[in-house]
Each structure stands twice: as structure tokens, then as C-alpha cells.
Amino acid sequence: MGTTLTAKGAATRQRIIQGAATLIQDQGISSTSLDDIAARTQTGKSQLFHYFPEGKTALLVAVAEFEAASILADQQPYLSNLTSWDAWQDWRNRVVERYEAQGRQCRLGVLTTQLGPASAASEKIAADLQAEWERLLLEGIQGMQQSGHIRPSVDAAAAAAALIAGIYGGVLILLASGSAYHLASALDVGIASLRGH
Amino acid sequence: MGTTLTAKGAATRQRIIQGAATLIQDQGISSTSLDDIAARTQTGKSQLFHYFPEGKTALLVAVAEFEAASILADQQPYLSNLTSWDAWQDWRNRVVERYEAQGRQCRLGVLTTQLGPASAASEKIAADLQAEWERLLLEGIQGMQQSGHIRPSVDAAAAAAALIAGIYGGVLILLASGSAYHLASALDVGIASLRGH
DNA sequence: GTGATAATGTACTGGTGAGTCCAATGACCA
DNA sequence: TGGTCATTGGACTCACCAGTACATTATCAC
């Protein structure tokens, strides 16, 4: 990375990150070598270390950032507008559809099981993502309480935590089984419990 | 393993499995080499290959089996006797206590995120465990429906799947954060939803 | 006890993968 | 146009690790 970065350099760097992300999704982090990434992105090891002087760990952190950024973006604008039961249902459908489509290559699964454990920095990225996601759900629940859709006696923080746990577990099972049934069930039960059914 | 196994040999084999399990819990599968396992278990590489002629993969499968067996056993007798709300609460408390105590070294987390992805055989062990666990929960829910504690309109399969997803996600978050709050919340919300609160 | 076989110790091999070195090429700016 | 620095290519080193070969010691059956 020297000091500055030309347009061409920035493009190469981005190509490396995305190529690495794809390889990790396809074959797992432990089977993805720097040589693989170089071959996939039409670069060489010298470029990899040129753009990521701290080596593989730094590259993986960049990949984790890239994945994390897209996970919340994928759920917008629904996730930030959970102001009616229809909106909750729309968000739920978006999540299930997205993860059903991604299947075993889903970004959240890769982030939590492959990239997260790889380094402390990546673990923090995964933790920050989870915290932000949970915060948005909590906001949605509290807003629904203020508008009278959800009873005040509901523990909003616990409900948000339970939803997040259900999503993460559903995705974990999706990774192993390829089925989004558990994810969908967790969301349905969680939302039904908010509605007081 | 040759053909037979003396008492001494069986003990050594078991020591290898447990030592490997501990190392993987402590430092992750990718940082655990056969040399590490040999050193830890006061053996040598020749023993490792003597008892696991198919090599590291077979050893890891044995570790996965060992971990999986203890996960359900840890929840007994509660898990097989979910016949009253008190029993459900006892089971919930047992799970939360156990995982809080295990913290980041929890067996289920290791099995799903470290061992499971390592080979198809280990993945099957993890999948079988999940299926069995879910079956026991389903039995509990259906029994409670028959005894009139849970309304017949509740989708028992979906409720069991949601509980499993919450547990798996709670454990995943426990691995990253060290906190069992999400696990506890998921169980509380899931059980409350069964009770119709 | 003795022979067969299980259990263990040690030294080695071959491959792989992260990271380095240095030379060459290309782009931008004075 | 010439110089500087970013960019790229390719060969190389070094460490680690799974797996092997072979020799030695302990154990069990008869």
C-alpha cells in the first residue's frame, strides 16, 4: 500500500477482498491459501502483501468488514422501519428469502464461524455487527410499545436478544443442513410472541 | 489399532481423544496440530496413527463423537421428562447453568463451529445431535399438548425448531461474547410462548 | 518362559503455505 | 521528457505439519 493508492490500486485491492470472500464462502477459510486468492484475483503474492502489509490476518479483517457491511444493508430499509406488524412481516420475509437464496454461502455464517474466530479484530467486527443489529431490533420493539402495539410488560431487551439468538442459530443450522426452516420458525415464533399470540 | 486393543491401549486411545478435545476447546482446531496432541497426551505421533490409522480426520471424528455424546447426557434426566412447566424450567436452568460454566469452551460451540465443518463425517455427527435434541423437545411439547398444558393450535414442530435455533444462536453468541444472556433470553421467550403468555 | 502381537519412541520425508527479495513495468507530475 | 513512486511478476526461504519407516519395549496367551 506504500503511502497513496491510485485508482488502479484501489480497484485491485477491492478485487482481492471480494475474491477472498468468495473463496472463503465456497471452500472455507482453512482451505483458502494466499496462493488461491492470488490465482483467483489474477494477482500475485507480492500484490497481496503490497496492499495488506500486515499479511493474511489483515486481509481477512478487510474481508470481515466487507461481509459485515453488507449484512445489515441487505435488510434495509425494513430493519430500520419496524413500525407496524406488516413491516415486521416484510422484514421477516426479506431475511428468510435472502438466507434461503444464499444457502450455505451465507455471509453471516461465514462471518461468525469462519472469519470471526480467526482473529480478535474480526471477532470485534462480528460482535459490533451483532450489537448494531440487536439495537435496531430493540428500537423497533420499543417503538411498537410506544405506539401501543406491544404491551409495556414485554421485556424489550430480552425479546431482541431472543430474536438475534434465533437468527444466529437458524443461520448456523442453515450452514449445516441447507434448510432455512429453523430460521423461519425462530422468526415466526419470536414475532408471534411480541404480538402476544 | 491393529486388530485388538488391550486395556492399556484403550486407555491411551481415550486419553488422546480427551486431550485433543481439550486442546481444540482451548486454542481452536486450526491451531491444534498432531504434535500438540501428542505432547499433551504424553504420546507420540506413532501412537496417534496406531490408534487412528486414517489420520487426523478420523481422530477429529472421534473427538466429535465424544463431545456430542456428552451434550445430551448433560441435560438428562431433564430433557427426557418435559412433562410439566416446572420440568421445563428445571431443564432451562440446567442448560443455562451448564453453558454459563463452560463459557467459551462449551462443547456445543466447539462441535458446531470447529469440528463440524472439518469433515463430512463430523458434520453428520453434529446434524444427528441436533435432530435428536429437537426430537426430544418435540416429544416434550407434544406430551404437554396431550396433557392439556399447551394449546393444540401450537405448531409443535415449529416451536421445537425455534427453541433449537435459539439455543444454537445463544451458544454462538456465548462463544464470541462469553455471556449467556442471549441463550437465557431465547429459552425464556421460547418457553413463555409455549405457555401462551 | 517364550513367542506373537500390541504399544511406544525416534528419526525422517514430502508437501504446503506464509512471508521476503529483488527486479521490472507502468502511471503520474514537474 | 525524465524522474519518482505505485504496481506487478516470479523466484526464493523458512517453518510447520501430516504422515511414514523402522526399531524397541511391554503385554498377553499358551
Side-chain angles (χ1 to χ4, degrees):
Chain A
M1 204 146 38
T3 51
T4 55
L5 209 61
T6 67
K8 189 181 182 187
T12 301
R13 193 183 132 99
Q14 196 59 27
R15 204 170 72 239
I16 291 170
I17 292 174
Q18 294 186 2
T22 305
L23 281 173
I24 293 170
Q25 277 166 11
D26 287 350
Q27 60 192 39
I29 198 170
S30 65
S31 322
T32 301
S33 70
L34 291 185
D35 289 304
D36 291 338
I37 298 172
R40 165 92 189 197
T41 57
Q42 259 118 47
T43 59
K45 278 248 263 293
S46 67
Q47 270 112 309
L48 265 44
F49 282 89
H50 182 73
Y51 294 107
F52 301 94
E54 278 113 279
K56 192 182 187 182
T57 306
L59 198 168
L60 293 180
V61 170
V63 174
E65 279 168 349
F66 171 73
E67 301 281 29
S70 72
I71 289 173
L72 288 185
D74 257 10
Q75 300 174 58
Q76 297 298 4
Y78 307 101
L79 182 57
S80 288
N81 293 286
L82 297 170
T83 54
S84 70
W85 291 123
D86 278 353
W88 278 87
Q89 199 58 31
D90 287 344
W91 166 71
R92 176 264 186 220
N93 289 338
R94 162 64 70 103
V95 170
V96 173
E97 274 163 24
R98 281 293 159 111
Y99 283 94
E100 225 156 29
Q102 290 180 10
R104 286 166 209 265
Q105 273 88 42
C106 82
R107 297 185 188 283
L108 178 59
V110 166
L111 182 61
T112 51
T113 68
Q114 309 276 318
L115 295 166
S119 74
S122 297
E123 192 167 6
K124 176 161 171 29
I125 291 169
D128 287 348
L129 167 72
Q130 182 220 309
E132 174 66 5
W133 196 341
E134 193 166 336
R135 195 184 63 75
L136 290 168
L137 289 177
L138 181 60
E139 270 185 9
I141 294 171
Q142 287 173 335
M144 294 286 281
Q145 284 182 315
Q146 274 159 26
S147 60
H149 290 92
I150 297 179
R151 274 175 290 125
S153 61
V154 166
D155 182 339
L163 270 173
I164 287 285
I167 292 169
Y168 274 56
V171 163
L172 193 56
I173 292 168
L174 170 64
L175 279 184
S177 71
S179 152
Y181 174 69
H182 289 75
L183 174 61
S185 296
L187 286 170
D188 289 340
V189 169
I191 293 174
S193 132
L194 288 174
R195 297 185 80 148
H197 290 176
Chain B
M1 214 150 28
T3 49
T4 55
L5 209 60
T6 69
K8 188 179 181 186
T12 302
R13 192 184 132 100
Q14 196 57 28
R15 204 171 72 239
I16 291 170
I17 293 174
Q18 293 186 3
T22 305
L23 281 173
I24 292 170
Q25 277 166 10
D26 286 351
Q27 59 193 40
I29 197 169
S30 65
S31 320
T32 301
S33 69
L34 291 185
D35 289 304
D36 291 338
I37 297 172
R40 165 93 190 195
T41 58
Q42 259 118 48
T43 59
K45 278 247 266 290
S46 67
Q47 271 110 310
L48 266 44
F49 282 90
H50 182 73
Y51 294 107
F52 302 95
E54 277 112 280
K56 192 181 189 183
T57 307
L59 198 168
L60 294 179
V61 170
V63 174
E65 279 168 351
F66 172 73
E67 301 282 29
S70 72
I71 289 173
L72 289 186
D74 257 10
Q75 300 173 58
Q76 297 299 5
Y78 307 102
L79 182 56
S80 288
N81 293 285
L82 298 170
T83 53
S84 70
W85 291 123
D86 278 353
W88 278 88
Q89 198 58 31
D90 288 344
W91 167 71
R92 176 263 187 220
N93 289 339
R94 162 65 69 101
V95 171
V96 172
E97 274 163 25
R98 282 292 159 109
Y99 283 95
E100 226 156 27
Q102 291 179 9
R104 286 167 210 262
Q105 274 87 42
C106 83
R107 296 184 188 285
L108 178 59
V110 166
L111 182 61
T112 52
T113 68
Q114 308 276 317
L115 294 165
S119 74
S122 297
E123 191 166 7
K124 174 158 174 29
I125 291 169
D128 287 349
L129 167 72
Q130 182 220 308
E132 175 65 4
W133 197 340
E134 192 166 336
R135 194 184 65 74
L136 291 168
L137 289 178
L138 181 60
E139 269 184 10
I141 295 171
Q142 288 173 334
M144 293 287 281
Q145 283 183 315
Q146 273 158 27
S147 59
H149 291 91
I150 298 179
R151 272 176 292 126
S153 62
V154 167
D155 182 339
L163 271 172
I164 287 286
I167 292 168
Y168 275 56
V171 164
L172 193 57
I173 292 168
L174 169 64
L175 278 183
S177 70
S179 153
Y181 174 69
H182 289 75
L183 174 61
S185 297
L187 286 170
D188 289 339
V189 168
I191 293 175
S193 132
L194 289 175
R195 296 184 80 146
H197 289 176

